[in-house]
Amino acid sequence: MFQATYVIQLDVLVKNGIAQRGAIAFMKKLEEENMPYVIITEQSGRIRDHIADYLVERGFRYIRPSSIYTSSMACVDYIHARYPKIQKAAYLGGAGIKEAIEKGGYTITFEHPEYVIVGMNKKSTYLEYSRIALCARDGALLVSSDNRVIQSVDGMPLIGNGSVIKMLESASGKRSITFGRGSENLLLMTKLFLQKSNLLFIGNDFHKDILPAMHCEFTTVFVTEGRSIENSGMDDKYHPDYIVEDLFGLTK
């Protein structure tokens, strides 16, 4: 195995609720060899404990909540680093966003918040979206924790948070700061979270994972999952450092 700190996209390990080929053996190998790692995800509405439980239930016996870094955590870490005087925040989304804001020491309020984090919540209402847009119009930073334009729910394609953000940008006249999958912000904050060098990033989508990781100067591993790389988008200038068919290829 590579001597490095591994940064692993959650979708490489589990997709549609199923552990991917070689993923359990790979994570077991990391633990056996005491390799440092973090699992990153734009599932911002879920707290780390729940994500860890989800992985354990699918056979990843060694996963700890402290080894997971969510996009909602990245949002809060970014605000803390970039805008140290900000004190008030609002949000739209799940418990993971609320937890990240509270652990960041911010007061949650819709009375003139200085930033608002927006994540997916299928129960959000028209009035709640309007309130977020008005906060942004009044000067709050608009922050997106999830870039999925379409997401699959029980096998059905539904509008995702990326689509909601476009609506809020249009209503508020403000551009959002994005931390979902595919954003360099998420990877840069992961670097800050780890505070380590020699980072090896593992992803299974060339445009959403590998390209932004290359721009952030990670060593990159592209997991093809048996797909052809012919039309993946890579060329002589932009290509991963390593290509493997599945995670068994990294256990040797």
Side-chain angles (χ1 to χ4, degrees):
M1 298 187 76
F2 296 104
Q3 296 293 319
T5 297
Y6 288 72
V7 178
I8 308 160
Q9 171 59 242
L10 177 61
D11 198 47
V12 174
L13 302 178
V14 176
K15 187 181 293 184
N16 298 323
I18 301 172
Q20 295 301 284
R21 177 175 166 80
I24 292 175
F26 170 68
M27 295 305 296
K28 181 180 179 182
K29 189 76 170 179
L30 288 182
E31 289 289 339
E32 290 174 347
E33 299 199 9
N34 200 29
M35 292 288 189
Y37 68 87
V38 65
I39 300 166
I40 64 171
T41 177
E42 67 178 348
Q43 294 186 17
S44 59
R46 304 173 71 181
I47 64 175
R48 292 197 291 178
D49 296 65
H50 291 168
I51 295 172
D53 289 344
Y54 171 83
L55 288 168
V56 169
E57 289 168 3
R58 281 148 184 82
F60 299 89
R61 296 191 303 159
Y62 305 99
I63 303 298
R64 297 176 296 275
S66 60
S67 297
I68 296 167
Y69 189 66
T70 69
S71 55
S72 54
M73 295 170 63
C75 293
V76 172
D77 288 346
Y78 174 88
I79 296 297
H80 181 74
R82 187 75 179 270
Y83 302 97
K85 294 184 179 180
I86 281 182
Q87 298 178 339
K88 297 189 295 182
Y91 77 96
L92 193 63
I97 300 177
K98 181 175 186 290
E99 181 184 75
I101 292 173
E102 290 177 337
K103 286 188 174 181
Y106 297 100
T107 299
I108 296 177
T109 177
F110 277 95
E111 295 295 325
H112 307 293
E114 294 160 284
Y115 75 96
V116 291
I117 298 179
V118 181
M120 196 61 202
N121 186 337
K122 296 190 292 295
K123 296 181 180 179
S124 295
T125 66
Y126 174 79
L127 290 178
E128 288 174 325
Y129 288 137
S130 297
R131 184 164 59 170
I132 290 291
L134 290 174
C135 287
R137 284 176 66 92
D138 288 341
L141 296 170
L142 180 62
V143 183
S144 172
S145 63
D146 181 347
N147 289 348
R148 289 174 290 181
V149 175
I150 297 292
Q151 68 180 71
S152 178
V153 178
D154 298 327
M156 180 182 296
L158 299 175
I159 288 174
N161 194 62
S163 298
V164 171
I165 285 293
K166 292 297 183 185
M167 176 185 70
L168 294 175
E169 287 180 332
S170 179
S172 66
K174 298 290 183 66
R175 291 289 300 275
S176 63
I177 309 170
T178 65
F179 291 85
R181 186 178 182 183
S183 71
E184 293 181 20
N185 286 330
L186 174 58
L187 297 179
L188 290 172
M189 296 317 299
T190 301
K191 274 188 169 184
L192 184 63
F193 172 73
L194 290 169
Q195 295 185 342
K196 292 181 180 181
S197 57
N198 192 22
L199 300 176
L200 184 73
F201 178 85
I202 305 172
N204 60 3
D205 186 295
F206 181 72
H207 291 283
K208 291 181 179 180
D209 297 331
I210 303 304
L211 273 180
M214 289 173 59
H215 292 156
C216 294
E217 300 182 337
F218 286 77
T219 300
T220 55
V221 177
F222 180 39
V223 183
T224 69
E225 299 176 337
R227 298 164 299 182
S228 170
I229 64 172
E230 185 175 353
N231 297 313
S232 64
M234 67 181 70
D235 54 31
D236 291 340
K237 183 177 180 181
Y238 296 107
H239 55 83
D241 295 288
Y242 303 97
I243 299 174
V244 296
E245 182 173 344
D246 54 50
L247 289 175
F248 280 125
L250 293 176
T251 62
K252 301 173 183 177

